[in-house]
Amino acid sequence: MASYAFAFVVLVLASTKAFASDPSPLQDFCVADNTTKVFVNGVVCKNPAHVKADDFFFSGLDKPGDTKNALGSKVTPVNVNNLFGLNTLGISLVRVDFARRGLNPPHTHPRATEVLTLLQGKLYVGFVTSNPPKLFTKILNKGDVFVFPEGLIHFQLNIGHENAVAIAALSSQNPGVVTVANAVFGSKPVINDDLLAKAFQVDKKVVDYLQSQFWTDNN
């Protein structure tokens, strides 16, 4: 447990305001009020008089995520949606568990840079730049750190002989995630198959098959 706490402190210190994509706070804190129906760019603040220590507390990140799924991975987020004290602070956290050969598939965080620390196992990680696309990859071992720039497609694959565990800090209270395959083939409503067939230069039947698989898995 000490290693998790150490990793958390290092990641928090590494994610300074210089890298945060969210606006800076205008007061000491702005604990998110999850009961309001008001929509703003962010989350409305709770009355400071009603704020408690538990608003800044989250428990359970020591528990492994369930990797019994098609990808063999599980992301456990700690963001403004479940740790209300993160509101306006420009940072969040995830734990990522990998079974053997588990994959965190190509995805982006539209509002955040990610700094990942590997706590256990061996990962093949990488990201792709904007056009013209260039791939940067690295093999990580326990204790290694890798940064994924904001908005770029990136991935992690367990290439070791045991389960892997990573902790990542993100420079937004709500970084968002766009999984590439889900977005392209699993959107609702679906993207026109003729369009995708031309974009990927494949037969339309391939697109129809992929779309049917994503709709079956997500419905």
Side-chain angles (χ1 to χ4, degrees):
M1 188 60 191
S3 62
Y4 288 91
F6 173 78
F8 178 80
V9 171
V10 171
L11 290 170
V12 169
L13 292 175
S15 299
T16 66
K17 292 298 180 185
F19 299 102
S21 62
D22 297 354
S24 298
L26 299 177
Q27 58 277 319
D28 288 344
F29 54 78
C30 172
V31 172
D33 183 355
N34 68 328
T35 64
T36 182
K37 295 183 179 179
V38 177
F39 289 93
V40 297
N41 183 25
V43 185
V44 173
C45 301
K46 180 187 289 189
N47 186 330
H50 301 157
V51 171
K52 300 178 180 179
D54 281 347
D55 291 319
F56 303 93
F57 174 77
F58 178 92
S59 179
L61 214 59
D62 60 318
K63 297 179 175 61
D66 184 4
T67 59
K68 295 179 180 178
N69 54 62
L71 294 173
S73 69
K74 175 65 175 179
V75 177
T76 304
V78 181
N79 55 38
V80 72
N81 298 310
N82 55 12
L83 181 51
F84 304 137
L86 287 174
N87 194 35
T88 76
L89 299 184
I91 190 172
S92 59
L93 182 74
V94 297
R95 169 178 172 147
V96 192
D97 288 274
F98 301 84
R100 291 183 62 181
R101 302 303 298 175
L103 170 68
N104 192 11
H107 62 281
T108 72
H109 301 293
R111 295 179 290 277
T113 293
E114 176 181 341
V115 182
L116 181 141
T117 299
L118 184 59
L119 302 181
Q120 175 184 313
K122 187 175 185 178
L123 294 180
Y124 171 70
V125 306
F127 67 86
V128 181
T129 66
S130 54
N131 293 342
K134 181 177 180 179
L135 176 65
F136 291 87
T137 65
K138 193 73 177 176
I139 293 176
L140 304 186
N141 293 290
K142 181 180 178 179
D144 290 342
V145 178
F146 197 82
V147 61
F148 303 100
E150 180 174 337
L152 297 186
I153 295 173
H154 58 284
F155 57 85
Q156 300 103 30
L157 173 68
N158 184 5
I159 59 172
H161 300 294
E162 61 176 341
N163 294 345
V165 181
I167 294 285
L170 299 111
S171 60
S172 171
Q173 68 180 40
N174 188 24
V177 59
V178 180
T179 305
V180 176
N182 290 356
V184 173
F185 298 108
S187 65
K188 299 178 182 180
V190 296
I191 300 175
N192 180 274
D193 54 0
D194 286 317
L195 182 155
L196 291 179
K198 187 169 185 177
F200 286 95
Q201 295 294 291
V202 297
D203 191 282
K204 191 167 72 170
K205 292 181 179 179
V206 175
V207 173
D208 292 339
Y209 171 76
L210 290 172
Q211 288 180 327
S212 69
Q213 291 303 300
F214 276 95
W215 272 76
T216 299
D217 292 342
N218 297 315
N219 288 276

